[in-house]
Amino acid sequence: MSRNKRRVPEINSSSMADISFLLLIFFLVTTTMVVNKGLARRLPPPIPPDQKTEDLKVKERNVLVVLLNSDNQLMVQREYISVTELRKKAKEFIVNANNAQDMPEKKAEEVQFFGEIPLTRDHVISLQNDRTTSYKAYIEVQNELIAAYNELREELAKSKFGVSYAELDDDRKTAIQYIYPQKISEAEPKNYGGNK
Amino acid sequence: MGKFNKNSSSRELPTISTASLPDIIFMLLFFFMATTQMKEVDFKVSIKEPKATELEALEKKNLVRFIYVGTPTDKYRGVYGSETRVQLDDAFADVSQIEDYIVAQRAAMNEYEQSLLTVALRVDEDAKMGIVTDIKQALRRAYALKINYVSRQRDNSQAF
């Protein structure tokens, strides 16, 4: 009878807040909020030491030469330009809408979804920089070149399929990638006009 | 009337119940646990990444290895100087060590994941391309060809 009246003593939970505070502060200190993002690139495989470096035969009209010197000045096709103009220049070069003589050759090819269309698949954007070029300038140039390709792909996806490039399925993405392949070539390192 | 202030010394303020405080703190705790990630390393070099717009997120933490390049922080400047230095994991390293480091890191990964290894370069925007080129050459020799230049998001409208 007296057993029914006995009550289970309450656990004092006033220190619970302190414990959870401690945990909270531990996580605040040991973790970071930032998710790393960046420009994804692919390096060319190494040249075997016994292989002779043959100059690949690329027609001059197919190459867009982008030079970045030690003073972070940008030269495209022997002309000084600012970084803001680079994207437009690169897009013009890749598309070659007017079939100009000094821009990449066009060859008609059969592409899924698109039928037979003239492509500039042989083009190369050759990026060369000096050892004393600043990393910031280099990333800006890389960014503009990648942006040029991304914009072209986006425009093509919009005009052909009416949706954004990111929303396309894999087959359609591959087709667009085939039409605008990312061809940014970086020269083997040399010392360009820099006083080291 | 006139009852105000009577017995004021014996009257007590009601205590605020703190019973829900742990719940609130736990909520905060879970929020931070869900939204943050563990720090990879302690930085010995100070890095301010350059800004860019065409970014891709670095997913799958276990496939990514970082190489940090920047000037030593104030604490280490006395010993290591203020030249641009490379940091691998928790220690300063030389460019010549990168190749071995990447090879060792890749060997420690699962075999089916080895080809997916991405090397993220966290380089200070004021660094010179010379050291970056050397690192890129080392990575090519180590056959770590997937790289990522870690950058911060820049608004499109923002001028250069």
Side-chain angles (χ1 to χ4, degrees), chain A residues 1 7 9 28 35 58 101 113 117 120 122 133 171 188 194:
Chain A
M1 281 167 228
R7 292 163 85 214
L28 277 177
V35 177
V58 182
Q101 282 303 308
F113 306 113
I117 50 165
T120 57
D122 288 335
T133 305
D171 281 352
E188 292 293 314

Side-chain angles (χ1 to χ4, degrees), chain B residues 130-146:
Chain B
I131 192 163
V132 181
T133 309
D134 292 341
I135 292 169
K136 275 158 68 184
Q137 289 299 317
L139 292 176
R140 282 176 68 187
R141 285 195 298 275
Y143 256 95
L145 302 180
K146 275 178 78 177

Side-chain angles (χ1 to χ4, degrees), chain B residues 1-26:
Chain B
M1 298 292 162
K3 269 186 180 176
F4 300 112
N5 295 330
K6 232 184 193 178
N7 298 332
S8 65
S9 54
S10 65
R11 209 193 287 158
E12 279 179 31
L13 279 171
T15 52
I16 299 164
S17 166
T18 57
S20 58
L21 193 58
D23 303 344
I24 296 166
I25 306 302
F26 264 119

Side-chain angles (χ1 to χ4, degrees), chain A residues 157-173:
Chain A
K158 281 264 166 64
S159 65
K160 178 76 184 174
F161 304 114
V163 285
S164 153
Y165 175 70
E167 291 162 31
L168 291 177
D169 59 45
D170 284 347
D171 281 352
R172 289 182 169 78
K173 267 189 189 168

Side-chain angles (χ1 to χ4, degrees), chain A residues 30-32 36-39 41-46 84 131-133 135-136 138 143 150 186 188-189, chain B residues 36-37 39 53-54 56 58 66 125 127-130 133-134 136-137 140 145-149 151 160:
Chain A
T30 56
T31 60
T32 47
N36 286 308
K37 285 181 169 184
L39 302 176
R41 304 286 316 134
R42 211 180 162 82
L43 294 173
T84 39
R131 283 188 71 83
T132 47
T133 305
Y135 180 67
K136 189 183 178 188
Y138 173 78
N143 188 52
N150 286 353
E186 289 179 60
E188 292 293 314
Chain B
T36 62
Q37 293 166 338
K39 271 182 199 161
T53 53
E54 311 299 313
E56 286 172 39
L58 275 170
F66 285 89
E125 60 180 14
K128 296 290 177 207
M129 277 309 291
T133 309
D134 292 341
K136 275 158 68 184
Q137 289 299 317
R140 282 176 68 187
L145 302 180
K146 275 178 78 177
I147 60 167
N148 191 305
Y149 301 107
S151 319
F160 284 92

